[in-house]
Amino acid sequence: MDQLQSILDSISSFVWGPWLLIPLLLGTGIFLTVRLRFIQLRKLGPALNLGLIRRQDDTEGGDISQYQALTTALAATVGVGNIVGVATAIAIGGPGALFWMWVTGLFGMASKYAEAFLGVRFRKTDANGNKSGGPQYYLERGIKGPIGRFLAIWFAVFAVLASFGIGNMTQGNAVAAQLQGVFNIEPWVTAIVLTVLIGLVLLGGIKSIGKVTAAFVPVMIVLYIVFGMVVLIANGPALPGALAQVFTMAFTGADPVAGGFAGSAIMLVLQMGVARGIFSNESGMGSAAIAAAAAKTTHPVRQGLVSMTQTFIDTIIVVSFTGLTIVATGVWETGNANGEAGLMTSHAFSSALGEWGGVIVSLSIAFFAFSTILGWAYYGERCMERLFGVKSVPLYRIVFTAVVFIGCTVPLALVWTFADIMNGLMALPNLIGLIALSGLIARETKHYLDHDPKLRATPSEIDEFMEGHERHDQDVEPSRT
């Protein structure tokens, strides 16, 4: 096991090193931000209104509402990464890692918009009559020839593998560890309960997943934020100093004396911030585009903007509360040394809420992880459908459900490293595709928003100003592997 961990660490260091994914992720986000004219700032208000207030478009084209597509994507992203992932990043890289999570989230909103736009733009209808889309389709349909097909297959293969890491084993592992630490519940008991519940929901497919996530994802996020706010208020005098540490140590590392742009300290904090940031919000990975493709929407731009708000909610809001409570309470300084990085958030909440702090964090992790597993099960099955057809989906659901049990009992470090590697390898083809298709995204986005800047156009009005322009739902069956 130690030898395997060493091998995985080496691979992860290369994939998430300073010459591959970190510059590619940030660079793509910055590039799309500029090319889309800072769409994440210009259109955040209308996007939040459409996604959270109005919640759906007046159309039947799709399987679930825009709101359900948003909550499904949120379910897949607001998970263990928002609690344990943030704590791990700060324990290893210091408070400055939170700053790089914010940067990743801010520019990642443009990446999330672009991939969700493409997910709807090039979606198809599978043999069972369900909408299916994501990088596994838009890479092939948007980039003609063998290169596009190769990138699409590359994404699909590693997305299936990633679904067992980021979307399955890490979630179950963190839940089991947290419940054992706080309630002394044996991991095998957690494994049984979690496996049965996941299996029951997956039987109903995306419509069942959409209903479940729409019902409890918003509630669990709001409750977590409320309790996090209580912790920050209780540590109010320390909050300005905590913010100062976040911004200062972003450019020096955890040890200001040994810092500097040329030193290893800054690379460590940058690496942890970006890696855990992308683990949390998944911007640039292409996964959220799979959920967006199932939405009932009148135009790809509208669903792209709704999906963009997911990164804002996940990173700018939820991650911020976790990170600031850890830094403001000072638990970050001892958590890693004691080997308790995964429990740092519990310690931070307990400092203000007593025993209830650990209970709240444990329940939050359990609910967050449960929803994440559901969201990623859907991502994985859509990629299996792309690779092997709809007949492979039932088998995938069975195997995926069984792996939930395994994930609750394997070493945490091994699981996190595996998840990081799979995340990176599935992100690479998607990022290449986003850059290659950025011209299409920018042109169609500008045309649509020039005619409907407040996202209030009716389907007939959209048909009128889109006349002469290509539309989505081009149900042309792409070739199989």
Side-chain angles (χ1 to χ4, degrees), residues 257-429:
V257 177
F261 279 99
S264 59
I266 180 60
M267 287 312 306
L268 178 62
V269 69
L270 178 61
Q271 180 180 356
M272 292 308 303
V274 174
R276 290 294 179 252
I278 197 64
F279 184 95
S280 175
N281 62 53
E282 299 175 18
S283 296
M285 287 176 56
S287 52
I290 301 174
K296 297 177 180 179
T297 183
T298 51
H299 195 275
V301 168
R302 294 165 78 106
Q303 185 55 44
L305 289 170
V306 170
S307 296
M308 179 185 76
T309 65
Q310 171 215 326
T311 298
F312 176 79
I313 295 170
D314 175 275
T315 306
I316 307 303
I317 297 178
V318 181
V319 163
S320 296
F321 274 95
T322 299
L324 289 175
T325 57
I326 289 173
V327 179
T329 56
V331 299
W332 74 274
E333 298 180 88
T334 58
N336 193 44
N338 295 338
E340 297 180 343
L343 297 176
M344 281 169 54
T345 309
S346 291
H347 296 330
F349 273 60
S350 296
S351 68
L353 302 172
E355 294 182 1
W356 282 103
V359 173
I360 291 167
V361 172
S362 295
L363 293 178
S364 296
I365 287 178
F367 282 111
F368 284 2
F370 178 71
S371 66
T372 297
I373 294 171
L374 291 178
W376 267 92
Y378 178 67
Y379 295 165
E381 75 172 49
R382 288 297 88 190
C383 288
M384 283 292 291
E385 182 270 332
R386 165 63 183 87
L387 293 170
F388 306 110
V390 295
K391 292 183 179 179
S392 66
V393 171
L395 176 61
Y396 170 82
R397 290 177 180 173
I398 293 172
V399 174
F400 185 90
T401 303
V403 171
V404 173
F405 186 95
I406 298 173
C408 292
T409 57
V410 296
L412 182 63
L414 188 68
V415 175
W416 277 98
T417 308
F418 173 81
D420 278 343
I421 294 171
M422 295 302 104
N423 290 355
L425 293 178
M426 70 178 280
L428 279 172

Side-chain angles (χ1 to χ4, degrees), residues 93-114:
L98 180 58
F99 173 84
W100 293 111
M101 289 183 195
W102 289 337
V103 172
T104 302
L106 178 62
F107 290 113
M109 290 174 69
S111 300
K112 185 63 65 72
Y113 166 81

Side-chain angles (χ1 to χ4, degrees), residues 15-82:
V15 172
W16 288 100
W19 309 114
L20 190 57
L21 264 183
I22 289 179
L24 187 57
L25 277 166
L26 292 179
T28 301
I30 294 170
F31 174 73
L32 290 171
T33 294
V34 173
R35 189 146 202 188
L36 294 169
R37 299 186 298 168
F38 291 83
I39 192 170
Q40 65 266 54
L41 302 180
R42 292 188 297 118
K43 297 299 177 183
L44 180 59
L48 287 169
N49 179 61
L50 177 59
L52 300 179
I53 307 302
R54 291 156 56 194
R55 298 193 175 191
Q56 61 183 12
D57 269 344
D58 184 19
T59 180
E60 295 299 321
D63 300 322
I64 55 178
S65 71
Q66 288 178 316
Y67 176 70
Q68 289 175 328
L70 172 62
T71 56
T72 298
L74 272 173
T77 54
V78 179
V80 171
N82 294 75

